[in-house]
Amino acid sequence: MTRYTIEKIRSIYDLPITTLIYRAQEAHHRHQDPSGVQSCALKSIKTGACPEDCKYCPQSAHYNTFVESETLLDTASILSDARAAHEAGATRFCMGAAWRKVPDGPQYESVLQTVTAVRDMGMEVCCTLGMMEEEQAVRLKEAGCSVYNHNLDTSREFYQEIITTRSYDDRLETLANVRKAGMEVCCGGILGMGESKEDRLGLLAELANLDPQPESVPINSLVAVEGTPMGDQEQVDGIAFVRMIATARILMPRAMVRLSAGRTEMSEELQTLSFLAGANSIFLGDKLLTTPNPGQDEDSLLLEKLGLRNIHPDEARAAQGREATTPVILAG
Ligand code: SAM
Ligand code: DTB
Ligand code: SF4
């Protein structure tokens, strides 16, 4: 497998924007269905009171935010949301819990039951539940979860300024457990936390050098929430955001690159540039985990204007596995 150095990644990230987008488009057309966008629904199944101190997160118990804590939701109430999301066109249902690590016992048994029921509805199931042991990962996979989301968020160096209650290596260990259990990895990060360009390049290096690379890469723009230490952070520069997406697309051509949190603050044009840079997935619905997301109507209208269509993850996989039909014009 190619190992990407920071210098190599910088040389891509710093390309003239015209060439950068062209290279990203080339990778997108070779390895993805260029008209397809995967829509994932998000549901917070256990909200708030999280013991971790992630400085960006409204659900951390360390900060006083608008989030009202809730205990784990029962299977029936999650299923009614899953059904609605399915009807609204979501093809992947991602359940998030504000846990430091997956608990053993009745709560986990209930999550496993819910996973199976959502899978049986015909949607692909993704979970993000915090750190996880290998045996817990194996059980999750057996219950029908195909993907686990666990973000590295930023570079190894900047990480310790953002979170002190766990380490980068803890994160990598959970990602390894997810792989050992045979689930796909969804792993990305956040821009706009005060990180430098070097930190962004560092995150890209960590992601692109994972072996195998993640199947999904969510790129979040920080949702600055009052009460968190990042409540006053300014919105990340749109062009830097687009460069990040395009570089991710070039480095990880087979991954679904997800234009994740922060879309309510983005113009249609910035979202469009992100699609041009290689993003091919979004979160659907008017809420992320706890913060707002553009509603269904707004998103359908935008996709329609752009001539993009909703695709099922299996359709996307088929497209990714196909033989290349476009010649490589620029050398890597
Ligand atoms: N507790 C689990 C964990 O940390 O892995 C799962 C839920 S956690 C909310 C999932 C991801 O959401 C985080 O890793 C982070 O990347 C993202 N996130 C949380 N708060 C955010 C915010 N304010 N803006 C953008 N992304 C955020
Ligand atoms: C990811 O990378 N972004 C999503 C999902 N994975 C779980 C979460 C975004 C959360 C934004 C803040 C909130 O709504 O609480
Ligand atoms: Fe907890 Fe996850 Fe939020 Fe960190 S990002 S405080 S682990 S819910």
Side-chain angles (χ1 to χ4, degrees), residues 94-112:
C94 181
M95 292 177 267
W99 279 323
R100 168 176 162 74
K101 78 190 286 291
V102 171
D104 279 317
Q107 297 199 84
Y108 196 40
E109 299 308 317
S110 169
V111 169
L112 295 172

Side-chain angles (χ1 to χ4, degrees), residues 73-321:
L73 298 177
D74 60 44
T75 301
S77 61
I78 302 169
L79 285 186
S80 90
D81 277 332
R83 207 163 293 121
H86 194 35
E87 278 159 20
T91 50
R92 180 185 281 188
F93 193 67
C94 181
M95 292 177 267
W99 279 323
R100 168 176 162 74
K101 78 190 286 291
V102 171
D104 279 317
Q107 297 199 84
Y108 196 40
E109 299 308 317
S110 169
V111 169
L112 295 172
Q113 229 177 34
T114 310
V115 165
T116 305
V118 175
R119 193 266 324 262
D120 289 347
M121 234 173 231
M123 264 189 296
E124 185 171 77
V125 177
C126 167
C127 287
T128 179
L129 314 170
M131 290 187 256
M132 191 168 59
E133 306 292 339
E134 187 182 343
E135 307 78 68
Q136 295 174 318
V138 167
R139 294 199 64 204
L140 194 61
K141 159 85 178 162
E142 280 169 6
C145 177
S146 7
V147 189
Y148 199 76
N149 166 244
H150 203 64
N151 292 338
L152 288 173
D153 284 337
T154 188
S155 66
R156 183 180 273 275
E157 295 73 29
F158 193 57
Y159 196 80
Q160 51 205 15
E161 294 184 33
I162 303 296
I163 298 150
T164 67
T165 49
R166 60 165 188 258
S167 69
Y168 216 66
D169 287 328
D170 288 334
R171 273 330 243 189
L172 290 169
E173 199 176 311
T174 294
L175 290 170
N177 292 337
V178 169
R179 277 286 177 222
K180 281 187 228 155
M183 279 183 283
E184 288 188 359
V185 166
C186 169
C187 184
I190 309 179
L191 268 67
M193 301 188 293
E195 73 285 346
S196 64
K197 179 171 135 186
E198 288 309 299
D199 292 315
R200 293 175 189 163
L201 300 178
L203 170 64
L204 286 168
E206 294 283 349
L207 295 171
N209 288 325
L210 286 173
D211 186 12
Q213 292 186 336
E215 282 78 8
S216 310
V217 179
I219 306 288
N220 295 277
S221 165
L222 175 78
V223 181
V225 175
E226 205 185 314
T228 65
M230 301 211 163
D232 291 329
Q233 279 291 330
E234 272 179 31
Q235 198 63 25
V236 62
D237 174 66
I239 302 301
F241 189 82
V242 167
R243 283 190 178 276
M244 185 78 181
I245 294 210
T247 312
R249 167 55 66 220
I250 292 165
L251 295 174
M252 295 170 279
R254 291 181 186 278
M256 303 303 290
V257 175
R258 187 162 308 114
L259 175 54
S260 302
R263 288 198 300 118
T264 53
E265 300 301 316
M266 293 179 195
S267 65
E268 282 193 345
E269 290 78 5
L270 179 53
Q271 294 183 63
T272 302
L273 259 181
S274 303
F275 291 126
L276 284 172
N280 61 347
S281 174
I282 54 170
F283 285 118
L284 202 67
D286 55 14
K287 203 165 152 190
L288 292 163
L289 289 171
T290 64
T291 64
N293 193 44
Q296 164 87 14
D297 293 349
E298 229 173 284
D299 281 341
S300 304
L301 199 68
L302 177 60
L303 293 187
E304 195 180 322
K305 274 204 251 181
L306 300 181
L308 299 177
R309 65 191 181 89
N310 198 0
I311 49 164
H312 190 275
D314 286 336
E315 215 182 317
R317 282 195 193 97
Q320 288 156 13

